Amino acid sequence: MGRYVPPELEGVKSANQVSNKHALGARASKIKQGILTVRFEMPFPIWCSTCLKPTIIGQGVRFNAEKKKVGKYHTTPIYSFRMKHVVCGGWIEIRTDPKNTAYVVAEGAKKMDTGEDKVEEGEFRIRTEEERERLEADAFAALEGKMDDKRQVATDKSRIEELWRTKERDWDDPGEANRRLRKTFRVGRKMREKDGRVTEGLKDRMSLGIDLLEETEEDRRRAGFVEFGEVGGDGAVRKAQSRPLFTSTSDAKKPLSKRLKTTKAASEAESRRNILSKELGDNTRAALDPFLNAERITPTNVPLIKRRKISSHSASVKVPNHGPSLVDYESD
């Protein structure tokens, strides 16, 4: 589309052939050498051997790789993917392994050992033809293999017998086993129904539109650390007894008519009057300090103290004079 083809070449050659270009564009710049540029994704993590410091190229990192056919395994072709590491400029080559259905690192890097190639318990590894030939030629290797096989057979046999005994014990009477399972299910069903009713009631009371999870032991333990105030009981009685019977507030001392008809201007005037009265009272107390005058003066705003009457016998007793006192006022 959009490429000019001369009329004499229409139906004879395509636009790519006329312009001497490949349909894949720049990706096929080395197609004559059997190389095609593709997008390759690293199948496993590897260590780059060209970098000065050990560098890991993680699984899934993508490169523009040169794809080339390098051989065959029976009728399956073996492809090579050669790419450049931009950090150090080194080349890394990875090839397909049709025999083991895997990828192998051929040059420039080393596969990272993640433990995936290890044989786990219960798995077995099929020997290759080379390993079989080596075992047949080496008597000691064949003996070691036989001993390993014997140990594996003994382990598998004990495991199979254990499973068989468990099966015989649990399913000796299928009717009884079925009855126990149904009983357990019924008990669990009743508990689930009870928990569901409690949850639905809580959601209705709290007006919650979300699903509530089941209560766990951790939730109970954390909820036990929270203390809430008492609505009634001995605590409320003690608080009521500890409060004063009458509250002394400035508004409570005012008549009801004044409290109801108080305006903003009246409130400001009352506030100024209270400030002036307090200032005058403070100055008066400073001028009539009983410790600075010979005669005792009782301020008007101090409540009177009822003193004990002095008997005639005590009044007749004279206090001896020991000379001039250190202060010019009498002591109690």
Side-chain angles (χ1 to χ4, degrees):
M1 293 296 295
R3 295 186 181 182
Y4 175 74
V5 178
E8 63 272 11
L9 297 179
E10 286 186 1
V12 179
K13 290 185 178 182
S14 63
N16 291 326
Q17 292 175 350
V18 172
S19 58
N20 198 18
K21 292 183 179 179
H22 198 275
L24 298 178
R27 293 175 52 196
S29 58
K30 300 181 181 180
I31 196 65
K32 294 182 180 180
Q33 303 175 14
I35 299 175
L36 178 65
T37 303
V38 297
R39 195 68 172 166
F40 182 78
E41 183 174 336
M42 194 62 63
F44 41 73
I46 61 174
W47 292 93
C48 181
S49 303
T50 312
C51 294
L52 298 178
K53 295 183 179 179
T55 305
I56 296 179
I57 301 176
Q59 181 180 357
V61 179
R62 296 181 179 180
F63 297 89
N64 291 331
E66 297 178 353
K67 180 181 178 182
K68 184 179 180 181
K69 182 179 178 181
V70 294
K72 280 188 176 183
Y73 176 72
H74 299 297
T75 58
T76 305
I78 299 175
Y79 291 102
S80 169
F81 299 91
R82 186 176 175 84
M83 64 210 77
K84 187 177 183 179
H85 191 202
V86 295
V87 177
C88 60
W91 288 90
I92 301 173
E93 183 178 351
I94 296 179
R95 296 186 179 184
T96 58
D97 185 9
K99 181 179 180 180
N100 299 315
T101 63
Y103 289 94
V104 293
V105 181
E107 180 186 350
K110 181 181 178 182
K111 182 180 178 181
M112 184 178 179
D113 185 12
T114 57
E116 296 179 356
D117 299 335
K118 297 180 180 178
V119 180
E120 301 293 339
E121 184 179 357
E123 299 179 352
F124 62 93
R125 182 169 171 267
I126 300 176
R127 297 190 180 95
T128 60
E129 295 180 1
E130 292 80 3
E131 292 177 347
R132 293 195 191 97
E133 293 177 359
R134 184 177 61 84
L135 292 176
E136 291 176 359
D138 190 353
F140 288 101
L143 182 60
E144 291 177 356
K146 291 180 180 179
M147 296 300 296
D148 294 338
D149 293 342
K150 288 182 179 180
R151 284 193 294 268
Q152 186 67 31
V153 168
T155 303
D156 296 343
K157 184 179 179 181
S158 62
R159 178 58 177 164
I160 292 173
E161 291 177 354
E162 180 182 358
L163 294 174
W164 179 262
R165 287 194 298 269
T166 304
K167 182 255 182 185
E168 289 292 331
R169 183 189 67 235
D170 296 340
W171 294 96
D172 186 21
D173 187 358
E176 181 66 19
N178 190 12
R179 187 188 66 80
R180 289 198 302 267
L181 290 176
R182 291 173 62 86
K183 181 179 178 181
T184 305
F185 177 77
R186 283 194 295 269
V187 173
R189 183 185 61 186
K190 293 179 181 179
M191 294 179 63
R192 287 191 296 269
E193 291 177 353
K194 181 180 178 182
D195 295 341
R197 288 193 297 269
V198 173
T199 303
E200 291 298 329
L202 181 61
K203 291 171 65 176
D204 293 339
R205 290 196 304 271
M206 305 297 293
S207 299
L208 299 176
I210 58 176
D211 295 334
L212 301 180
L213 299 178
E214 296 182 1
E215 184 181 4
T216 60
E217 186 63 29
E218 179 68 16
D219 297 337
R220 299 188 189 95
R221 188 177 62 84
R222 294 178 66 89
F225 295 152
V226 181
E227 295 182 358
F228 299 94
E230 297 182 3
V231 178
D234 298 338
V237 174
R238 288 195 298 269
K239 289 183 180 179
Q241 291 177 351
S242 62
R243 293 176 183 174
L245 185 60
F246 301 102
T247 58
S248 60
T249 59
S250 59
D251 293 339
K253 295 178 181 179
K254 296 180 181 179
L256 180 60
S257 58
K258 291 186 177 181
R259 280 184 289 170
L260 295 177
K261 297 181 180 180
T262 301
T263 61
K264 185 176 181 181
S267 299
E268 293 178 356
E270 183 69 21
S271 177
R272 288 195 298 271
R273 191 181 303 109
N274 293 335
I275 292 173
L276 179 60
S277 175
K278 183 176 183 303
E279 185 176 0
L280 293 176
D282 294 341
N283 296 337
T284 303
R285 283 196 295 273
L288 303 178
D289 194 345
F291 292 97
L292 299 179
N293 296 277
E295 55 183 342
R296 188 67 54 87
I297 299 177
T298 303
T300 57
N301 59 346
V302 178
L304 297 178
I305 302 174
K306 185 180 292 185
R307 297 180 178 275
R308 188 181 62 180
K309 293 184 179 180
I310 302 175
S311 61
S312 58
H313 176 73
S314 301
S316 61
V317 178
K318 295 183 178 181
V319 179
N321 188 7
H322 297 286
S325 59
L326 296 178
V327 294
D328 58 349
Y329 58 86
E330 297 179 358
S331 175
D332 293 335

